[in-house]
């Protein structure tokens, strides 16, 4: 019986030392400088849970250690304190983000021109047809190119909103759920109290094509907005997602997606200090 | 009925099989297991050390340990994690999981030292004296009189503490570490369907709880087996009447 | 014979300002059965606990079988094996059965193989009558059973001397006898023992030496006959005869005669003396105090000592005074009526000197 006791003790000590070794091997990594934006294997990248960058990185970059945060605050904090090597974002978000906070900078694009589209209610096929044909047409117009240009420029100065005026047919309403605080895509101008942004403008063009008045409904949460859309409480929602999401959304049975509207790059953001030569 | 079955099948498919999503859960499960197990091992050692100091004679050491213990018990776990990750080690480049394990260890260690301390105080000092007068050395009295009783008295609370530590590990999701809870959130964000993944996550946590219960049961059995040896020997004693 | 088993030299022990053992020196021979008696709190337990270093003496030497005990090192464990101890609170290991209690130390200290330890344990349990309950847990036993098991546990280490610290004080009267019977049996086998006890009859019958402890040391010692039947010193007598004592002394001007008389009355009431007896005693005191406060000077001292033997009913009174010299009652200023009163109340009066004061010794009442 004494022999058995000794074995158990030795086993426990062995297990303990293995654990400790594994534990300590995980610590003290030096901040990794990313040399090539296309060589992300083995790095630690942060993204927001459920956003396009999350989906893209999970699917196409299995060798990246992905940290999915609930909010931008948490993610940027982790980036500042070196818990992350970089954070991934859509390019229009990144432009404004880095403009407002120069301690972060865009390192480069690692996914070029990913297609984004809007969520639609699958139970309104006529409306969806209408939207898709509008999109197909609109993308050929100079207004669309102008919109893209202004989005790019938002990296250097605040987004220049342009008002879209048109004849409104009385009785026709387009209910749109919107989200504040997302320059240059969708936000409220604090001085004019008007909704502005690239999404807003595009949808206003759509309303113009219908001759409808726009009614803006504030987004609760993203999930709530999707539910509202599927229940028919709104006609369309701001917040385009990557088309890769279409299959999941349709399988969940609540919403579908329109044809591609925007092509956005996915970029990574790093701490400016670490990359300045 | 069959429609319902189909819905469930679809649900299971999209939550688990599609895109190998079950891997999220497995990786998360392993990470949670790893964090809980390691934390608990280290916390038991730390708790024993703290307890020893609290029972010792050096006054300053006692005061320090009591202060640190109180600090770790009173601060909420999330606050502790934030302090460790963003305050104490912010300049260095230390892995978040490592820091999380340290924070959890400190907290659980403080609680375990309390458990051991209370259990020790519940032992009658007369028994310790009796052990010494029988000729047992300090170490042997500890090994045969104090330790069994501390383990016996402290075990229920200790088991609870393990479960609590297990639950606390889910807080690492705040730092985007992919533990079991976070895994189910990731799946939900894709499928918009919380049910299956949450059910699986709950089952997984219950599984870990059951595993630890089993482990404890095994330890108990060792003790009972040992006692059993005596009974088989007693049968060969002449003149002994069965109680 | 020859070398004593335990030799104690000038043992001193205090707790803070409280001196418990002033200066104790004694020798304990092999085969001695020593009963240690005395009033509570006078150091009996402390003395016995110092013998095996459960308490650390402030100074002095304890030599066990030629080996001097010091406070450090494994020497203590070796010596402790020779000295067994039985406690007032039994102190059985509450997480082990009776059998496991008995074999714990032999298997782990003496390294006796388990099977052998068990069979020896059973022999001992038979000796104390606990064999049928070998599998019981301590919390399933009565006090008497626990103590008997504790004695067996102690014997398992084959000690040369056993120290008993009030072994029956925590027991119901119904269980005391079973334990005393075991101790008697043990002593008959020749085991050297030191027994602290309040059981006088038992102490008298079982011991060959008696230590009466009082005033921080061994106040008186001798054979049981000497100490129990013929105690030499006063406090021994008080204890043995279960005398109840009232004593006051001090300078006259510091005493309040009325308060003193009241205290004496309370004392008499406490021991349920009859009204007549209480009356007699307090009147005697009053008369004498009245005289002394009128005629003695303020610096003069007085001492009042009253003893009451509860078993025989005997009452004695001693009055000491520094003034006048000689028999106080015969002093010319002592009121003759008072004198007749005093002489009438007591059956016997004598005069003498004690503690540097003239004394009146009164008996009867």
């Amino acid at each position: 019986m004494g022999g058995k006791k000794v074995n158990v003790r030795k086993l426990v000590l062995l297990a303990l030392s293995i654990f400790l070794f594994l534990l300590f091997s995980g610590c003290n990594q030096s901040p990794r400088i990313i040399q090539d934006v296309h060589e992300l294997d083995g790095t630690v990248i942060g993204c927001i849970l459920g956003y396009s960058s999350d989906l893209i990185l999970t699917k196409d970059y299995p060798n990246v250690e992905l940290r999915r945060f609930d909010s931008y605050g948490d993610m940027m904090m982790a980036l500042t304190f070196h818990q992350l090597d970089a954070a991934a974002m859509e390019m229009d978000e990144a432009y404004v983000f880095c403009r407002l906070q120069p301690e972060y900078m865009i390192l480069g694009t690692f996914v070029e021109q990913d297609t984004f589209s809007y969520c639609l209610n699958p139970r309104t096929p006529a409306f969806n047809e209408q939207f898709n044909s509008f999109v197909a047409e609109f993308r050929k117009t100079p207004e669309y190119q102008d919109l893209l240009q202004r989005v790019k420029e938002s990296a250097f100065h605040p987004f220049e909103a342009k008002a879209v005026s048109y004849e409104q047919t009385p009785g026709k309403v387009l209910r749109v759920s919107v989200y504040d605080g997302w320059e240059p895509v969708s936000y409220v101008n604090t001085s004019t109290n008007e909704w502005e942004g690239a999404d807003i403008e595009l949808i206003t063009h759509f309303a113009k094509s219908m001759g409808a008045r726009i009614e803006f409904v504030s987004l609760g949460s993203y999930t709530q907005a999707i539910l509202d859309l599927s229940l028919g409480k709104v006609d369309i929602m701001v917040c385009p997602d990557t088309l890769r999401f279409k299959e999941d959304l349709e399988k969940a049975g609540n919403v579908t997606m329109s044809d591609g509207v925007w092509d956005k790059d996915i970029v990574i953001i790093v701490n400016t200090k670490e990359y300045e030569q | 009925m069959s429609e319902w079955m189909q819905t469930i099948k679809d649900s299971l498919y999209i939550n688990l099989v599609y895109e190998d999503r079950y891997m999220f859960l497995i990786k998360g499960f392993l990470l949670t297991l790893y964090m809980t197990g390691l934390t608990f091992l280290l916390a038991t050692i730390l708790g024993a050390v703290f307890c020893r100091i609290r029972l010792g004679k050096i006054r300053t050491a006692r005061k320090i340990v009591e202060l640190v213990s109180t600090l770790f018990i009173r601060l909420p776990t999330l606050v502790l994690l934030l302090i460790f990750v963003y305050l104490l080690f912010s300049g260095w480049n230390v892995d978040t999981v490592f820091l999380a394990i340290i924070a959890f260890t400190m907290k659980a260690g403080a609680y375990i030292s309390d458990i051991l301390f209370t259990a020790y105080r519940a032992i009658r000092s007369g028994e310790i004296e009796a052990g010494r007068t029988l000729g047992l050395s300090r170490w042997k009295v500890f090994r045969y009189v104090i330790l069994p009783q501390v383990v016996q008295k402290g075990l229920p609370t200790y088991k609870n503490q393990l479960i609590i530590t297990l639950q606390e590990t889910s807080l690492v999701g705040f730092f985007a570490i992919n533990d079991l809870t976070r895994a189910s959130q990731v799946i939900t964000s894709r499928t918009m369907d919380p049910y299956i993944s949450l059910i699986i996550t709950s089952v997984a946590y219950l599984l870990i709880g059951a595993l630890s219960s089993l482990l404890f049961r095994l330890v108990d059995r060792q003790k009972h087996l040992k006692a059993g040896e005596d009974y088989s020997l007693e049968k060969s004693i002449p003149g002994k009447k069965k109680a | 014979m020859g070398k004593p088993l335990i030799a104690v030299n000038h043992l001193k022990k205090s707790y803070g300002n409280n001196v418990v053992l002033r200066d104790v020196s004694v020798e304990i021979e092999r085969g001695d059965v020593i009963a240690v008696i005395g009033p509570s709190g006078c150091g009996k337990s402390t003395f016995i606990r110092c013998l095996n270093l459960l308490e650390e003496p402030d100074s002095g030497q304890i030599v066990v079988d030629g080996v001097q005990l010091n406070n450090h090192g494994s020497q203590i464990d070796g010596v402790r094996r020779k000295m067994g101890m039985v406690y007032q609170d039994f102190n059985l290991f509450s997480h082990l059965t009776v059998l496991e209690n008995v074999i714990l130390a032999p298997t782990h200290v003496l390294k006796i193989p388990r099977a052998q330890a068990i069979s020896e344990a059973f022999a001992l349990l038979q000796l104390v009558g606990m064999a049928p309950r070998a599998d019981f847990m301590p919390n399933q036993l009565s006090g008497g059973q626990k103590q008997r098991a504790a004695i067996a546990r102690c014997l398992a280490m084959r000690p040369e001397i056993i120290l008993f610290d009030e072994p029956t004080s925590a027991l119901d009267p119904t269980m005391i006898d079973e334990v005393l019977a075991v101790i008697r049996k043990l002593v008959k086998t020749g085991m050297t023992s030191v027994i602290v006890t309040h059981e006088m009859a038992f102490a008298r019958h079982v011991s060959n030496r008696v230590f009466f402890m009082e005033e921080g040391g061994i106040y008186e010692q001798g054979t049981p006959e000497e100490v129990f039947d013929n105690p030499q010193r006063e406090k021994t007598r008080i204890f043995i005869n279960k005398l109840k004592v009232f004593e006051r002394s001090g300078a006259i001007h510091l005493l309040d005669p009325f308060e003193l008389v009241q205290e004496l009355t309370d004392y008499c009431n406490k021991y349920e003396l009859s009204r007549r007896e209480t009356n007699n005693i307090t009147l005697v005191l009053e008369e004498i105090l009245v005289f002394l406060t009128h005629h003695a000077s303020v610096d003069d001292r007085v001492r009042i000592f009253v003893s009451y033997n509860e078993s025989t009913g005997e009452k004695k009174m001693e009055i000491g005074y520094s003034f006048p010299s000689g028999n106080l009652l015969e002093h010319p200023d002592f009121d003759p009526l008072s004198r007749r009163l005093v002489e009438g109340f007591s059956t016997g009066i004598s005069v003498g000197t004690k503690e540097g004061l003239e004394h009146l010794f009164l008996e009867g009442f």
Side-chain angles (χ1 to χ4, degrees):
Chain A
M1 203 211 60
K4 223 189 258 184
K5 223 185 279 182
V6 171
N7 273 345
V8 168
R9 223 173 254 183
K10 276 199 187 152
L11 205 69
V12 167
L13 278 170
L14 187 66
L16 189 62
S17 26
I18 291 179
F19 266 141
L20 284 174
F21 172 73
L22 286 174
L23 178 66
F24 283 99
S25 63
C27 80
N28 254 334
Q29 304 160 328
S30 46
R32 210 190 315 257
I33 304 293
I34 298 176
Q35 306 292 351
D36 182 354
V37 167
H38 298 285
E39 291 290 320
L40 292 177
D41 280 5
T43 56
V44 180
I45 308 278
C47 66
I48 304 296
L49 179 67
Y51 280 21
S52 328
S53 34
D54 177 10
L55 292 166
I56 294 169
L57 281 164
T58 309
K59 205 152 189 198
D60 295 346
Y61 292 81
N63 291 324
V64 165
E65 190 184 329
L66 195 56
R67 300 269 171 91
R68 301 175 188 85
F69 291 87
D70 288 323
S71 77
Y72 278 101
D74 299 335
M75 182 166 78
M76 297 333 276
M77 191 119 158
L79 182 61
T80 313
F81 289 104
H82 313 290
Q83 303 293 326
L84 304 173
D85 295 326
M89 267 191 221
E90 294 155 29
M91 95 193 163
D92 42 16
E93 292 177 321
Y95 288 152
V96 175
F97 199 84
C98 293
R99 183 188 91 223
L100 292 175
Q101 292 165 97
E103 58 261 32
Y104 305 110
M105 67 177 227
I106 299 178
L107 188 62
T109 307
F110 70 98
V111 174
E112 311 249 340
Q113 303 291 286
D114 195 77
T115 315
F116 279 64
S117 68
Y118 290 91
C119 296
L120 291 173
N121 190 342
R123 288 170 269 277
T124 56
F127 176 87
N128 300 348
E129 246 327 297
Q130 197 176 0
F131 184 75
N132 282 333
S133 40
F134 157 78
V135 167
E137 281 300 315
F138 186 71
R139 285 183 79 160
K140 299 178 197 153
T141 62
E143 280 96 349
Y144 180 73
Q145 292 303 324
D146 180 47
L147 210 61
L148 287 178
Q149 183 58 33
R150 279 181 283 141
V151 166
K152 280 216 190 90
E153 282 171 14
S154 67
F156 307 105
H157 55 77
F159 181 76
E160 279 177 46
K162 287 200 182 142
V164 183
S165 56
Y166 56 95
E167 282 269 334
Q168 293 180 3
T169 321
K172 265 209 148 181
V173 181
L174 182 70
R175 295 162 304 167
V176 184
S177 48
V178 282
Y179 198 88
D180 184 13
W182 226 348
E183 199 194 331
V185 176
S186 161
Y187 62 98
V188 177
N189 187 319
T190 43
S191 28
T192 63
N193 232 14
E194 295 281 333
W195 284 95
E196 294 177 359
D199 276 0
I200 306 286
E201 275 194 40
L202 182 117
I203 290 191
T204 313
H205 281 288
F206 176 58
K208 176 176 166 189
S209 76
M210 285 170 60
R213 176 177 65 85
I214 296 190
E215 190 178 295
F216 290 116
V217 178
S218 235
L219 261 178
S221 67
Y222 182 73
T223 348
Q224 188 58 40
I226 296 228
L227 240 68
D228 285 347
L229 181 62
S230 71
L231 291 171
K233 288 194 188 158
V234 292
D235 298 315
I236 196 168
M237 60 184 260
V238 189
C239 212
D241 272 315
T242 170
L243 257 181
R244 297 171 199 241
F245 215 2
K246 184 168 181 182
E247 212 179 328
D248 278 313
L249 284 175
E250 284 178 352
K251 283 216 164 80
N254 290 327
V255 291
T256 182
M257 293 190 93
S258 71
D259 294 336
V261 181
W262 309 97
D263 292 317
K264 302 195 195 192
D265 296 335
I266 310 292
V267 301
I268 52 172
I269 295 186
V270 294
N271 286 316
T272 319
K273 252 187 279 191
E274 289 163 17
Y275 284 77
E276 269 168 0
Q277 241 65 34
Chain B
M1 178 60 186
S2 62
E3 189 190 291
W4 189 66
M5 285 295 290
Q6 188 60 35
T7 324
I8 298 214
K9 265 205 223 155
D10 284 339
S11 195
L12 278 171
Y13 177 78
I14 193 176
N15 276 286
L16 297 176
V17 183
Y18 183 63
E19 286 184 346
D20 287 341
R21 283 178 181 158
Y22 66 93
M23 282 308 292
F24 279 127
L25 288 171
I26 290 189
K27 282 197 209 156
F29 179 78
L30 290 173
L31 186 64
T32 298
L33 206 62
Y34 170 70
M35 282 194 295
T36 310
L38 189 57
T39 298
F40 221 65
L41 238 88
L42 295 175
T44 307
I45 298 175
L46 188 70
V49 169
F50 274 5
C51 185
R52 183 67 191 84
I53 296 179
R54 281 173 75 178
L55 292 169
K57 295 194 184 122
I58 309 173
R59 198 160 177 274
T60 36
R62 253 204 337 254
K63 287 280 175 190
I64 294 176
V65 164
E66 278 169 20
L67 192 71
V68 169
S69 249
T70 315
L71 202 74
F72 278 104
I73 288 178
R74 292 203 181 144
L75 287 174
T77 317
L78 187 55
V79 171
L80 266 178
L81 278 175
L82 287 168
I83 290 178
F84 267 84
V85 176
Y86 291 140
L87 204 63
L88 294 178
F89 295 91
S90 59
W92 320 5
N93 203 304
V94 193
D95 183 30
T96 318
V97 176
F98 177 65
L99 290 175
I101 290 180
I102 293 186
F104 292 136
T105 301
M106 300 295 296
K107 192 161 229 265
Y111 276 115
I112 289 178
S113 86
D114 249 1
I115 295 172
L116 294 175
F117 188 74
T118 314
Y120 180 85
R121 284 311 197 90
I123 302 178
R124 303 186 54 218
S125 61
E127 289 185 33
I128 302 177
E129 270 189 1
R132 297 284 276 141
T133 49
L134 283 170
L136 290 164
S137 67
R138 276 193 187 285
W139 164 249
K140 291 210 168 97
V141 166
F142 175 75
R143 170 93 177 70
Y144 298 109
V145 179
I146 297 178
L147 195 60
Q149 292 198 49
V150 164
V151 167
Q152 197 183 56
K153 290 181 208 294
L155 206 60
T157 323
Y158 182 81
K159 283 201 270 193
N160 274 346
Q161 187 55 46
L162 178 58
I163 302 294
I164 292 174
T165 302
L166 171 66
Q167 292 165 353
E168 285 181 341
T169 59
S170 62
L171 285 171
V172 292
F174 183 79
F175 299 92
I177 294 182
N178 298 310
D179 76 317
L180 185 56
T181 308
R182 199 73 180 148
S184 78
Q185 282 178 310
V186 170
I187 294 181
T188 306
S189 75
R190 311 283 197 262
T191 65
M192 301 295 163
D193 171 17
Y195 300 110
I196 296 286
S197 57
L198 270 180
I199 290 176
I200 293 181
T201 304
S202 312
V203 170
Y205 274 110
L206 292 173
L207 205 77
I208 299 183
L211 234 152
S212 69
S213 241
L214 198 76
L215 273 167
F216 281 116
R217 206 89 54 78
L218 272 171
V219 170
D220 256 359
R221 250 193 19 171
Q222 272 257 333
K223 281 206 286 206
H224 285 138
L225 277 176
K226 194 182 73 124
E229 284 173 37
D230 293 339
Y231 291 120
S232 60
L233 277 168
E234 280 164 20
K235 289 205 184 103
S236 59
I237 307 296
K240 180 203 174 293
K241 294 177 227 148
K242 219 24 175 123
Chain C
M1 285 295 107
K3 216 165 41 167
L5 182 51
I6 301 182
V8 177
N9 287 326
H10 303 292
L11 189 62
K12 291 190 181 58
K13 176 75 184 165
S14 337
Y15 292 111
N17 289 332
N18 187 19
V19 178
V20 181
L21 297 173
R22 226 170 280 275
D23 183 349
V24 179
S25 300
V26 78
E27 284 183 356
I28 299 173
E29 308 283 345
R30 247 170 250 280
D32 272 348
V33 178
I34 300 177
V36 179
I37 60 175
S40 300
C42 68
K44 310 197 292 294
S45 277
T46 314
F47 171 68
I48 209 177
R49 287 165 66 89
C50 281
L51 287 183
N52 68 354
L53 281 187
L54 281 176
E55 308 283 349
E56 278 181 35
D58 296 335
S59 67
Q61 299 171 311
I62 302 171
V63 182
V64 177
D65 209 7
V67 174
Q68 177 170 349
L69 293 191
N70 51 10
N71 300 342
H72 311 288
S74 55
Q75 287 229 340
I76 306 185
D77 298 333
V79 166
R80 276 184 173 148
R81 267 182 252 151
K82 290 190 191 162
M83 295 199 284
M85 185 130 179
V86 174
Y87 296 86
Q88 182 175 354
D89 291 328
F90 331 122
N91 288 335
L92 290 176
F93 302 130
S94 47
H95 60 298
L96 300 173
T97 64
V98 166
L99 181 66
E100 287 167 348
N101 259 277
V102 178
I103 64 171
L104 182 75
T107 45
H108 290 116
V109 179
L110 301 176
K111 309 286 190 202
I112 296 177
R114 202 176 171 81
Q116 183 188 345
I118 291 180
S119 63
E120 285 179 12
F122 265 105
L124 290 172
L125 289 173
Q126 293 268 27
L127 184 72
V128 302
M130 283 299 290
R133 280 181 244 265
D135 302 332
F136 279 40
M137 298 295 286
N139 60 8
Q140 298 171 294
L141 302 173
S142 72
Q145 292 167 339
K146 279 194 258 211
Q147 192 62 296
R148 288 187 280 144
I151 294 175
R153 178 179 69 172
C154 179
L155 289 170
M157 289 299 285
R158 306 171 186 166
E160 294 182 21
I161 171 172
I162 302 188
L163 309 171
F164 294 84
D165 188 358
E166 301 199 33
T168 58
S169 295
L171 296 176
D172 279 344
T174 49
M175 294 188 273
I176 292 180
D177 288 328
E178 68 191 53
V179 173
L180 294 182
V182 167
I183 300 180
R184 248 182 246 122
K185 210 167 157 190
L186 196 57
V187 156
K188 276 212 191 91
T189 64
M191 173 69 72
T192 315
S193 314
V194 179
I195 312 173
V196 174
T197 185
H198 291 297
E199 301 287 324
M200 297 300 154
F202 168 74
R204 198 209 164 110
H205 284 129
V206 85
S207 61
N208 72 325
R209 283 168 78 182
V210 175
F211 292 172
F212 172 70
M213 294 197 70
E214 171 66 280
E215 286 183 357
I218 300 179
Y219 185 81
E220 184 169 343
Q221 57 168 300
T223 66
E225 293 73 32
E226 286 167 3
V227 176
F228 283 109
D229 295 336
N230 212 3
Q232 296 295 307
R233 300 184 62 186
E234 177 162 13
K235 290 207 172 157
T236 323
R237 262 185 286 129
I238 292 176
F239 182 80
I240 298 291
N241 297 326
K242 298 201 214 3
L243 296 179
K244 303 292 181 239
V245 164
F246 175 91
E247 182 167 3
R248 297 284 184 277
S249 71
I252 290 188
H253 79 278
L254 289 175
L255 293 173
D256 177 350
F258 301 107
E259 199 183 301
L260 210 53
V261 169
Q262 183 57 52
E263 286 175 18
L264 185 58
T265 315
D266 290 340
Y267 161 83
C268 294
N269 290 335
K270 182 173 167 189
Y271 296 109
E272 290 176 342
L273 299 180
S274 70
R275 287 193 57 163
R276 186 179 60 81
E277 291 166 335
T278 313
N279 232 27
N280 294 354
I281 293 176
T282 48
L283 267 170
V284 166
L285 180 64
E286 254 187 79
E287 292 296 335
I288 294 178
L289 277 182
V290 160
F291 170 77
L292 283 175
T293 48
H294 280 139
H295 293 91
S297 60
V298 288
D299 289 326
D300 281 322
R301 293 187 56 232
V302 72
R303 175 175 171 266
I304 298 113
F305 178 88
V306 181
S307 75
Y308 171 54
N309 186 330
E310 275 187 320
S311 21
T312 62
E314 192 183 10
K315 299 165 216 56
K316 289 198 194 158
M317 197 163 169
E318 293 171 16
I319 311 234
Y321 44 91
S322 56
F323 168 89
S325 47
N327 191 336
L328 179 147
L329 298 174
E330 288 169 5
H331 195 275
D333 289 330
F334 197 83
D335 181 31
L337 197 60
S338 307
R339 179 181 175 173
R340 279 245 281 283
L341 215 66
V342 171
E343 287 173 351
F345 282 150
S346 43
T347 56
I349 302 182
S350 57
V351 193
T353 319
K354 182 176 171 179
E355 290 184 26
L357 296 171
E358 294 276 358
H359 267 77
L360 273 180
F361 298 99
L362 304 102
E363 292 181 23
F365 308 100

